[in-house]
Amino acid sequence: PIASEMYATHARETYVSLDNKHGEACALITLADASIGRGDFDRSLRYLQQAAQTFRQFKDAYNENLALNNMAFACEQLGDLRQARVIYGRARASYDAGNGCGNLHIILCNLGGVACALGDYAQAADYATQAETAALKLNSHDDDARLHMLRGDIAWHSGLDSVAHEHYCVAEK
């Protein structure tokens, strides 16, 4: 993270000197990633908010959605689950409008994880089902572990220990 942070800081300074707001926003995404890597979620959130605002001004929905996903993750790490749910919801709405960044099933798993953490297990299960459907449409197995962890958490909170155990074992593979 240190090398990428040094590069991004230099890139940001260069973009600022050139009055290139879009380039600066891209550098902010890299700075946010480096901050996340160090566990500095407050700083990451500040970078991401600025980047998302700039991408919105440039009507760059793809990169705005990327910033939204990372903002929601930072909110989760800061313990602000309600705000994370709102921001993941905005990312999903943007994805549904054709501005997707990443895969829909990952956004849905993230929404499910937040719903589960907030104690809304029925909503979490619904998101898990939607995530599985979206992954199957893409023939994507990139994040199967995340889905199994979510299903395991839902089962565990529902008192289905053996089902939870099965999902956790599959997720570990």
Side-chain angles (χ1 to χ4, degrees), residues 134-157:
L136 289 172
K137 283 183 183 177
L138 293 172
N139 194 27
S140 174
H141 301 284
D142 293 344
D143 234 16
D144 285 352
R146 184 187 310 230
L147 181 58
H148 281 286
M149 288 299 293
L150 174 57
R151 289 200 183 277
D153 289 348
I154 295 164
W156 184 77
H157 286 292

Side-chain angles (χ1 to χ4, degrees), residues 43-168:
R43 177 174 292 194
S44 176
L45 194 55
R46 287 191 301 274
Y47 287 144
L48 291 164
Q49 288 167 334
Q50 186 178 349
Q53 181 180 5
T54 300
F55 290 134
R56 194 173 312 114
Q57 290 170 351
F58 279 87
K59 298 185 184 348
D60 181 349
Y62 182 89
N63 279 313
E64 181 185 358
N65 201 23
L66 175 67
L68 288 173
N69 278 307
N70 290 339
M71 283 171 58
F73 176 77
C75 286
E76 272 188 271
Q77 300 310 303
L78 290 167
D80 192 349
L81 299 177
R82 294 189 192 291
Q83 184 64 17
R85 180 166 45 184
V86 168
I87 296 171
Y88 279 133
R90 286 175 48 203
R92 181 187 182 175
S94 179
Y95 186 96
D96 289 344
N99 305 319
C101 171
N103 294 317
L104 178 59
H105 68 284
I106 294 170
I107 295 169
L108 292 165
C109 274
N110 291 339
L111 278 164
V114 170
C116 191
L118 289 169
D120 190 350
Y121 307 118
Q123 182 66 64
D126 184 50
Y127 282 132
T129 300
Q130 291 178 52
E132 185 173 20
T133 300
L136 289 172
K137 283 183 183 177
L138 293 172
N139 194 27
S140 174
H141 301 284
D142 293 344
D143 234 16
D144 285 352
R146 184 187 310 230
L147 181 58
H148 281 286
M149 288 299 293
L150 174 57
R151 289 200 183 277
D153 289 348
I154 295 164
W156 184 77
H157 286 292
S158 301
L160 304 170
D161 295 350
S162 62
V163 174
H165 178 73
E166 290 174 27
H167 282 290
Y168 291 146

Side-chain angles (χ1 to χ4, degrees), residues 1-10 30-31 34:
I2 293 171
S4 66
E5 191 168 13
M6 288 173 46
Y7 164 79
T9 299
H10 177 70
T30 303
L31 286 168

Side-chain angles (χ1 to χ4, degrees), residues 1-15 24 26-47:
I2 293 171
S4 66
E5 191 168 13
M6 288 173 46
Y7 164 79
T9 299
H10 177 70
R12 181 182 184 198
E13 291 168 356
T14 301
Y15 287 128
E24 179 186 2
C26 291
L28 287 169
I29 293 287
T30 303
L31 286 168
D33 287 344
S35 295
I36 286 172
R38 284 194 328 275
D40 189 349
F41 300 105
D42 287 312
R43 177 174 292 194
S44 176
L45 194 55
R46 287 191 301 274
Y47 287 144

